[in-house]
């Protein structure tokens, strides 16, 4: 008795409800992946040069090793697909997936559905860094990292670092972290606004367009910058999702259950902030994805973070991939800032879902 | 005395600059129920939290002669948070947390434990219900199921029945009583209802402002002059059908 656990007889079979507990619903996975694939096809074929669906698919299959398919695309069409269309699409999907997943992780760690990836000052810090780089020629670029992404990334991480210092690493007190985040974000926003005001109109316009978020890219450079962050941080976040479910009972009970809430919060915030900073560095400030996507996933597929985290990544990728097609085609050849459209599309959808949910309650 | 059970020796806890517990001794053996009683703020919850590892303390707390881990002691807060959108089965499965490594997920045997405790507590049909849709009595049974799934030999319960009516209150306490008798669980429960404490606990520890005011068998601790003094209100201890009953004393009209 003294050493070891209480014996509990094993039943012949599991109760269905226990078997289902915390499992990711296959239906939701299939639907969201199907939507993502549909968005990918829509995105790859839409634009100034309309590419035929069959040709696009054949070209992509042909790129796979050991597969040899004849494509109907001309050489010019193929280079549009491979050098312009696909890099941009993949970048959009990576950014959307990163923001969706980081938002879900922040919501879990702060036990607050209103949390978003920009909460601890990432956006304000990145914005300030970008203003310095774009407007004042600050060049902290290094290797493959251009001046603007590098400055934005450093600004973002600097702001998050400052937030944790001000809160004295209060990993057991989400409220303290949140309030420190508010203070730091205000400070950086003010600095950013002041810096912006010192610029001439052309420069300021350039900075503003960065701040609104944009996925302008040529070639695969930015995908290569963001990719490793998505892989590493995504792995860390997926590894902590079970712990986020335990955290839902509150820090005290979670700790009594055998979890270390401070360690979970530290790792999750670290990975989510790094992921957000990397996404913001290559895309600017894209609003609303990190807040709305996890929320919609929660309403449609359940409240377990084991479900919300991966599905927010897939849905965020699909959402931003879809919205970016509009950003580059609606007003072609001019582009709309994708961050504006995410808010324009996201806000009403969000409002509608909340409204119908509130009516039920 | 055997040292197999839970031993708290000279336990003191400071909350800020305020001493919440001062040199408290409590022991509980397998199969034994110790009731912690005392007025609000006497330190009952603080003692439970210290044992559960949630509060820093001076002194010594051991289980089977080592520092208790979450697989040794299971703790339930006074009003456990029942998360929105979580099902009963998921909540019970959370009890397995202490048995899982950082990167591990629940195995089939973890799910078997959850199934087993749910059936045992007559929750077999409740698995898919949301926690937020349960009545107070049902919720308390579900919380107990989570605690049992933890398979810890010591249960720390903070006011386990504070939100229940008298019928459900008794039913839950009887269930805990049955579990400790059949499984040899040690129970340490903070209790406000002194009559229930007298009936269910083997021994009582009466706390006053963080110090032990009396400890021992219910019949030794629950004496009118002792409890009246500690609770700072006149109380009468009576015997009804051979059981101790604690009542507020009638005001004497002078």
């Amino acid at each position: 008795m003294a050493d070891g656990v209480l014996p509990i007889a094993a039943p012949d079979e599991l109760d269905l409800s226990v078997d289902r507990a915390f499992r990711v619903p296959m239906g939701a996975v299939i639907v969201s992946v199907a939507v993502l694939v549909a968005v990918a096809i829509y995105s790859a074929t839409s634009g100034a040069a309309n590419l035929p669906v069959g040709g696009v698919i054949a070209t992509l299959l042909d790129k796979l090793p050991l597969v040899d398919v004849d494509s109907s695309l001309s050489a010019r069409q193929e280079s549009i697909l491979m050098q312009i269309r696909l890099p941009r699409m993949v970048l959009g999907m990576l950014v959307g997936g990163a923001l969706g997943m980081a938002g879900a992780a922040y919501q879990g760690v702060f036990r607050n559905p209103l949390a978003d990836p920009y909460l601890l000052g990432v956006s304000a810090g990145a914005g300030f860094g970008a203003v310095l780089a774009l407007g004042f020629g600050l060049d902290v670029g290094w290797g493959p990292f251009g001046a603007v992404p590098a400055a934005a990334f450093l600004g973002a991480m600097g702001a998050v670092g400052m937030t944790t210092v001000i809160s004295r690493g209060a990993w057991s007190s989400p409220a303290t972290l949140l309030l420190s985040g508010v203070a730091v974000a205000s400070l950086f926003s003010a600095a950013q606004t002041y810096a912006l005001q010192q610029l001439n109109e052309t420069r300021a316009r350039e900075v503003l367009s960065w701040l609104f978020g944009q996925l302008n890219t040529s070639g695969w450079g930015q995908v290569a910058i963001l990719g490793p962050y998505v892989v590493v941080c995504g792995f860390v976040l997926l590894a902590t999702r079970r712990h986020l479910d335990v955290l839902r009972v509150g820090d005290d009970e979670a700790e009594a259950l055998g979890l270390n809430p401070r360690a979970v919060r530290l790792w999750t915030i670290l990975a989510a902030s790094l992921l957000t900073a990397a996404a913001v560095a290559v895309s600017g400030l894209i609003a609303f994805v990190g807040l709305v996507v996890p929320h919609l996933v929660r309403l449609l597929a359940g409240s377990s973070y084991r479900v919300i985290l991966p599905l927010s990544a897939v849905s965020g990728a699909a959402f931003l991939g879809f919205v970016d097609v509009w950003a580059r085609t609606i007003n072609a050849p001019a582009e709309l800032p994708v961050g504006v459209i995410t808010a324009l599309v996201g806000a009403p959808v969000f409002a509608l879902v909340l409204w119908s949910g509130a009516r039920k309650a | 005395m055997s040292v197999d059970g839970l031993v708290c020796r000279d336990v003191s806890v400071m909350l800020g600059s305020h001493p919440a517990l001062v040199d408290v001794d409590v022991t509980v053996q397998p199969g034994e129920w110790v009731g912690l009683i005392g007025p609000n703020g006497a330190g009952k919850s603080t003692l439970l939290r210290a044992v559960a590892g949630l509060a820093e303390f001076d002194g010594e707390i051991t289980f089977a002669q080592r520092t208790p881990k979450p697989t040794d002691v299971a703790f339930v807060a006074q009003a456990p948070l029942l998360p929105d959108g979580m099902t009963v089965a998921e909540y019970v499965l959370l009890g397995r947390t202490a048995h899982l490594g950082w990167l591990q997920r629940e195995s089939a045997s973890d799910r078997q434990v959850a199934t087993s405790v749910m059936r045992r507590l007559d929750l077999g049909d409740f698995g898919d219900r949301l926690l937020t849709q349960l009545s107070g009595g049902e919720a308390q049974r579900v919380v107990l199921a989570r605690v049992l799934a933890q398979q810890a030999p010591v249960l720390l319960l903070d006011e386990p029945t504070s939100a229940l009516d008298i019928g459900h209150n008794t039913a839950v306490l009887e269930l805990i009583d049955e579990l400790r008798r059949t499984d040899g669980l040690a129970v340490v429960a903070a209790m406000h209802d002194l009559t229930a404490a007298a009936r269910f606990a083997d021994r009582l520890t009466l706390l006053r402002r963080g110090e032990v005011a009396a400890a021992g068998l219910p019949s030794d601790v629950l004496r009118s002059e002792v409890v009246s003094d500690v609770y700072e209100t006149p109380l009468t201890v009576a015997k009804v059908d051979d059981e101790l009953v604690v009542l507020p004393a009638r005001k004497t009209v002078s």
Side-chain angles (χ1 to χ4, degrees):
Chain A
M1 157 85 203
D3 46 346
V5 296
L6 286 179
I8 290 184
D12 309 333
E13 55 186 23
L14 291 181
D15 280 356
L16 279 178
S17 61
V18 175
D19 200 33
R20 270 195 292 272
F22 292 129
R23 299 244 198 250
V24 182
M26 277 323 282
V29 173
I30 292 169
V31 168
S32 54
V33 171
V35 169
L36 182 64
V37 170
V39 167
I41 293 172
Y42 172 57
S43 172
T45 54
S46 318
N50 271 319
L51 304 178
V53 177
V56 167
I57 293 174
T59 305
L60 290 181
L61 284 178
D62 191 43
K63 300 284 175 203
L64 295 175
L66 304 177
V67 181
D68 195 16
V69 187
D70 280 336
S71 162
S72 58
L73 295 189
S74 68
R76 187 177 154 271
Q77 283 178 318
E78 187 178 324
S79 97
I80 288 179
L81 177 69
M82 296 309 296
Q83 294 308 317
I84 299 175
R85 220 40 90 61
L86 282 188
R88 173 153 184 167
M89 176 187 102
V90 172
L91 184 69
M93 288 181 168
L94 284 182
V95 169
L99 292 177
M101 196 185 223
Y106 273 111
Q107 292 178 8
V109 113
F110 289 109
R111 285 194 275 126
N112 187 337
L114 287 179
D116 84 357
Y118 299 152
L119 206 61
L120 298 185
V122 167
S123 56
F128 181 60
V131 173
L132 292 186
L134 277 170
F136 296 91
L138 172 77
D139 189 355
V140 287
W142 173 75
F145 302 93
V148 178
F153 184 82
L154 290 178
M157 293 316 288
V160 174
M162 207 159 153
T163 298
T164 56
V165 169
I166 289 177
S167 63
R168 297 194 183 193
W171 302 111
S172 55
S173 168
T176 309
L177 278 170
L178 284 182
L179 289 174
S180 315
V182 170
V184 170
S186 319
L187 186 69
F188 275 91
S189 297
Q192 174 194 312
T193 309
Y194 176 76
L196 202 54
Q197 233 198 355
Q198 310 301 308
L199 297 175
N200 67 37
E201 205 175 316
T202 326
R203 286 266 162 125
R205 196 178 273 272
E206 209 178 325
V207 172
L208 277 178
S209 116
W210 187 92
L211 288 178
F212 286 137
Q214 29 84 47
L215 291 163
N216 266 328
T217 178
S218 52
W220 293 91
Q222 288 178 312
V223 171
I225 291 178
L226 180 55
Y229 288 97
V230 172
V231 172
V232 173
C233 299
F235 175 79
V236 173
L237 292 179
L238 286 179
T240 54
R241 66 196 162 129
R242 179 174 70 78
H243 308 293
L244 293 182
D245 274 333
V246 183
L247 216 49
R248 288 162 69 196
V249 300
D251 277 28
D252 272 358
E253 298 242 340
E255 190 163 359
L257 282 169
L259 188 83
N260 181 343
R262 291 167 297 281
V264 171
R265 206 163 268 130
L266 169 72
W267 279 105
T268 310
I269 289 178
L270 192 67
S273 300
L274 205 56
L275 188 58
T276 308
V280 167
V282 297
S283 70
L285 303 180
I286 293 177
F288 237 63
V289 179
L291 173 66
V292 172
V293 167
H295 219 81
L296 292 178
V297 169
R298 178 180 290 117
L299 288 167
L300 300 175
S303 59
S304 162
Y305 284 98
R306 304 191 208 193
V307 179
I308 296 175
L309 241 64
L311 284 187
S312 292
V314 176
S315 313
F319 177 63
L320 196 58
F322 178 74
V323 166
D324 185 47
V325 178
W326 283 12
R328 61 188 170 79
T329 56
I330 279 183
N331 206 14
E335 278 214 15
L336 297 175
V338 68
V340 172
I341 308 194
T342 54
L344 279 178
V345 175
V349 171
F350 193 44
L352 188 70
V353 171
L354 284 182
W355 180 75
S356 59
R359 196 178 43 179
K360 260 184 265 164
Chain B
M1 180 187 282
S2 151
V3 287
D4 268 3
L6 180 75
V7 179
C8 306
R9 196 168 289 143
D10 295 334
V11 173
S12 301
V13 175
M14 298 290 287
L15 295 180
S17 58
H18 160 73
L21 280 184
V22 183
D23 295 336
V24 171
D25 292 326
V26 175
T27 61
V28 53
Q29 297 298 317
E32 196 182 24
W33 181 323
V34 171
L36 301 178
I37 56 174
N40 293 328
K44 307 186 291 292
S45 302
T46 305
L47 180 58
L48 292 177
R49 289 173 55 82
V51 175
L54 301 176
E56 283 185 29
F57 61 89
D58 288 325
E60 188 180 82
I61 297 178
T62 58
F63 172 75
Q65 294 171 293
R66 56 189 157 80
T67 307
K69 294 177 305 207
T71 45
D72 299 325
V73 294
F75 167 76
V76 182
Q78 189 164 358
L81 192 65
L82 301 174
D84 249 356
M86 190 180 274
T87 68
V88 167
E90 290 175 338
Y91 188 72
V92 174
L93 213 47
L94 289 185
R96 302 302 299 163
T97 302
H99 298 270
L100 300 174
W102 181 266
L103 291 177
Q104 250 180 329
R105 288 185 304 166
E106 297 88 352
S107 66
S109 74
D110 293 314
R111 290 177 191 268
Q112 279 172 342
V113 170
T115 299
S116 179
V117 294
M118 280 168 56
R119 288 189 190 166
R120 175 140 183 222
L121 299 192
D122 288 327
L123 294 166
D125 300 330
F126 276 67
D128 284 321
R129 292 265 295 274
L130 293 176
L131 294 173
T132 41
Q133 294 168 349
L134 301 175
S135 72
E138 291 164 348
Q140 208 61 353
R141 280 218 317 276
V142 169
V143 172
L144 274 181
R146 186 201 86 191
V147 167
L148 290 184
Q150 201 165 339
Q151 286 184 297
V154 180
L155 303 191
L156 308 171
L157 308 172
D158 197 353
E159 301 287 343
T161 57
S162 55
L164 302 181
D165 64 54
I166 189 164
H168 287 98
N169 181 331
T170 310
V172 167
L173 292 175
E174 278 171 355
L175 177 61
I176 297 169
D177 198 38
E178 183 198 321
L179 293 170
R180 62 121 176 181
R181 283 176 201 285
T182 52
D183 293 10
L185 289 168
V187 176
V188 185
M191 303 173 83
H192 263 311
D193 180 344
L194 298 179
T195 303
R199 175 183 294 182
F200 288 101
D202 299 315
R203 288 185 295 123
L204 295 177
T205 295
L206 175 61
L207 294 170
R208 168 171 52 187
R209 289 186 215 108
E211 296 181 52
V212 176
L217 298 173
S219 52
D220 294 335
V221 174
L222 295 179
R223 283 180 290 126
S224 299
E225 65 277 13
V226 175
V227 286
S228 300
D229 180 32
V230 170
Y231 282 86
E232 292 173 6
T233 187
L235 296 171
T236 306
V237 180
K239 260 198 170 170
V240 178
D241 293 345
D242 230 24
E243 285 197 72
L244 292 173
V245 176
V246 182
L247 298 165
R250 270 182 209 282
K251 278 224 169 99
T252 44
V253 184
S254 52

